[in-house]
Amino acid sequence: MASETTDCDVIIVGGGMVGLATALSLASQDYRVHLLEAGEPQQVKTDTHPSFDDRTLVVNPASQLFWEKLGVWSELAPHSTVVNSVHVSQNGRFGAVRFNHDAMHVPHLAHVIEARVLGRLLWEKVYRHKHIQLTAPAKLTHFTADEKSIQVHYQQDAQQKNQRALLLLAADGARSFVREQLNLPTITKNYHRTAIIANVATELSHHQCAYERLTASGPMALLPFHDRLGLVWTLPQEQAKQMLDTDDATFMDALQHAMGHRLGRITRVGQRSSYPLYRITVPQQYKSRVLLIGNAAHTVSPVSAQGLNLGVRGIQRLMAALSDARKQNHDIGSDLVLEAYQQQSWPDQQRILQYTDDLMTWFKLDVPVINGLRGLGMLAVDSSLLLKKQFYRLAGGF
Ligand SMILES: Cc1cc2nc3c(=O)[nH]c(=O)nc-3n(C[C@H](O)[C@H](O)[C@H](O)COP(=O)(O)OP(=O)(O)OC[C@H]3O[C@@H](n4cnc5c(N)ncnc54)[C@H](O)[C@@H]3O)c2cc1C
């Protein structure tokens, strides 16, 4: 489908989960795709690729359908853990909200997977795909667009190469080089907090329940994964540094204090890693035949477990916009098509950015009256199936 003047239809920069999944989606619709990834293929094979680390990811039901359609779910499911209930509580305060799949009349609330397993699966599928050209390691250096196409320059094996396409998709992550080159205004909110990630084993079984604990220092998530839990613990930067540097016994004591005894004693903790927490909003996400997708277009704190789920919905909307363009014989890199995509995506992005921000900031104020109101609010939500269903629709990606 490439026009006479282009070598391919779409060039994607960034082979993280969003870039890879977009390449597969486009190829399934017969677009000719070229994916450029800066990392070494060897990093994927040896589980050292920074985008595919051992973080646990919540896959909501809408994303599960997407991965099924893409043909990766059957291989992913055996490595996943089903989430049947969610328990939201406050540290040291009354009130809790419980979500249960039975009460919501759904087979399950979500699944938990490991980023490295999904990353490897996607990479292998892209690598083997006849209609996707995968170049790695390759670094995009610059690009120039005209009325008919975009010329993309990249470096591979110390050689400068270039290729022409109709559309350039920037899936190059939160610190997007492409976004910077385009000078697209970016609003960054720094939470001055750090998320500590680790695997945790506890005395009692998680019974496929995910825990969200709201503490004065920030939210904490515990995701059931096989016989352990994936921890995301938000702390002020200085405290996080201490918790990263301390020995396992001191870390486990502090964690036990913050998460309470619902799961009994913490018996083991795995390697700790950390992520700075910030939110990135990009009001204008396209320019001159380039469109930002995934974390390059929107970055949220991992505490809400929504970043990739939102990225997946973006891919689906992009595919719909391109399909409409194709039917109407429109140029897929035109402002008309990219604006239609952005109009469709913006409200969803705003909802998730706001929801995550609320989670990050609501519980910052440790004032008795506010804590009491929060407790009452939780009790109110807990007793309302309607409110819970509304919440489930948001978190479930519907
Ligand atoms: C601890 C943690 C837990 C999370 N939990 C969840 C969860 O439960 N559920 C959920 O939905 N989301 C979750 N997320 C968010 C999710 O991981 C991200 O939204 C998702 O991985 C973003 O993928 P991406 O492909 O957009 O970006 P990235 O993974 O950052 O990929 C960008 C890629 O671009 C490449 N690149 C960059 N510059 C160039 C260049 N110039 N040329 C070529 N290549 C380039 C990089 O090498 C990289 O591979 C979590 C995130 C974290 C940190």
Side-chain angles (χ1 to χ4, degrees):
M1 176 181 325
S3 77
E4 280 170 33
T5 54
T6 60
D7 312 313
C8 71
D9 299 308
V10 184
I11 297 177
I12 302 172
V13 186
M17 284 176 276
V18 171
L20 292 167
T22 307
L24 290 169
S25 300
L26 287 165
S28 75
Q29 299 294 312
D30 299 327
Y31 289 99
R32 285 178 29 193
V33 185
H34 186 183
L35 179 72
L36 302 171
E37 163 57 32
E40 297 271 352
Q42 195 57 19
Q43 289 182 298
V44 181
K45 289 195 190 118
T46 54
D47 286 337
T48 54
H49 192 289
S51 303
F52 316 140
D53 52 19
D54 60 0
R55 77 184 73 158
T56 44
L57 300 173
V58 175
V59 175
N60 68 22
S63 294
Q64 182 190 335
L65 292 176
F66 172 81
W67 298 121
E68 277 174 15
K69 237 177 113 187
L70 211 61
V72 290
W73 187 251
S74 58
E75 288 170 77
L76 197 56
H79 304 280
S80 74
T81 297
V82 167
V83 180
N84 283 330
S85 55
V86 176
H87 186 275
V88 186
S89 62
Q90 302 183 80
N91 186 10
R93 312 267 172 230
F94 73 98
V97 183
R98 296 165 200 84
F99 297 86
N100 190 290
H101 75 108
D102 279 337
M104 315 287 275
H105 305 292
V106 290
H108 50 259
L109 296 180
H111 283 82
V112 178
I113 58 156
E114 253 180 325
R116 84 168 101 208
V117 176
L118 177 59
R120 209 185 309 126
L121 270 173
L122 291 173
W123 183 275
E124 278 163 14
K125 275 207 180 303
V126 166
Y127 181 76
R128 281 192 255 113
H129 205 292
K130 278 199 301 246
H131 301 297
I132 304 175
Q133 186 185 350
L134 171 62
T135 308
K139 234 177 174 166
L140 175 93
T141 52
H142 59 286
F143 46 87
T144 44
D146 59 35
E147 255 182 47
K148 294 225 153 79
S149 63
I150 182 160
Q151 178 94 10
V152 175
H153 301 259
Y154 60 97
Q155 202 170 29
Q156 186 194 11
D157 298 332
Q159 278 180 40
Q160 196 66 37
K161 301 189 172 174
N162 65 75
Q163 193 175 33
R164 200 167 269 286
L166 296 170
L167 173 66
L168 172 64
L169 293 175
D172 55 347
R175 292 198 193 89
S176 171
F177 167 78
V178 176
R179 190 179 67 214
E180 211 179 278
Q181 294 299 301
L182 287 171
N183 254 326
L184 289 171
T186 299
I187 307 159
T188 303
K189 177 171 182 177
N190 189 341
Y191 292 109
H192 302 290
R193 275 170 155 64
T194 301
I196 297 183
I197 312 298
N199 283 313
V200 176
T202 53
E203 201 180 5
L204 304 179
S205 162
H206 50 64
H207 293 296
Q208 293 162 325
C209 178
Y211 294 87
E212 185 86 46
R213 190 124 170 104
L214 303 157
T215 78
S217 55
M220 169 195 287
L222 283 154
L223 307 175
F225 189 62
H226 301 314
D227 59 349
R228 54 189 194 270
L229 294 127
L231 167 74
V232 184
W233 189 9
T234 315
L235 288 170
Q237 284 161 339
E238 199 43 47
Q239 208 179 333
K241 192 175 171 325
Q242 285 168 13
M243 284 294 113
L244 286 164
D245 293 342
T246 195
D247 57 84
D248 281 1
T250 315
F251 179 80
M252 281 171 17
D253 272 356
L255 179 60
Q256 185 88 66
H257 180 72
M259 71 183 245
H261 286 79
R262 199 168 293 276
L263 290 163
R265 244 176 352 97
I266 298 169
T267 53
R268 251 177 319 122
V269 64
Q271 202 185 338
R272 285 161 253 163
S273 52
S274 68
Y275 298 84
L277 295 180
Y278 47 87
R279 182 186 74 170
I280 298 176
T281 313
V282 191
Q284 174 68 25
Q285 297 171 5
Y286 69 90
K287 190 174 171 184
S288 316
R289 294 189 174 273
V290 185
L291 176 71
L292 309 180
I293 55 173
N295 270 22
H298 42 71
T299 301
V300 295
S301 150
V303 167
S304 65
Q306 290 294 330
L308 183 59
N309 289 312
L310 179 59
V312 159
R313 295 202 290 283
I315 299 171
Q316 290 172 309
R317 277 188 287 260
L318 176 62
M319 293 311 299
L322 297 188
S323 162
D324 284 349
R326 197 188 247 174
K327 278 184 211 140
Q328 292 167 48
N329 228 358
H330 287 153
D331 171 359
I332 59 168
S334 66
D335 282 3
L336 181 80
V337 173
L338 303 184
E339 174 63 24
Y341 161 82
Q342 179 164 336
Q343 291 279 338
Q344 291 284 317
S345 302
W346 184 248
D348 185 23
Q349 292 177 9
Q350 284 304 296
R351 262 195 302 275
I352 296 300
L353 287 160
Q354 188 57 53
Y355 160 62
T356 308
D357 194 54
D358 287 346
L359 259 184
M360 288 297 295
T361 52
W362 263 3
F363 291 83
K364 247 167 66 177
L365 284 174
D366 196 20
V367 180
V369 177
I370 292 178
N371 287 327
L373 288 174
R374 279 196 293 248
L376 290 173
M378 282 203 164
L379 289 176
V381 174
D382 195 43
S383 56
S384 165
L385 189 59
L386 185 70
L387 283 176
K388 284 188 191 175
K389 281 191 169 163
Q390 278 177 4
F391 179 81
Y392 173 72
R393 286 191 66 75
L394 173 77
F398 297 111

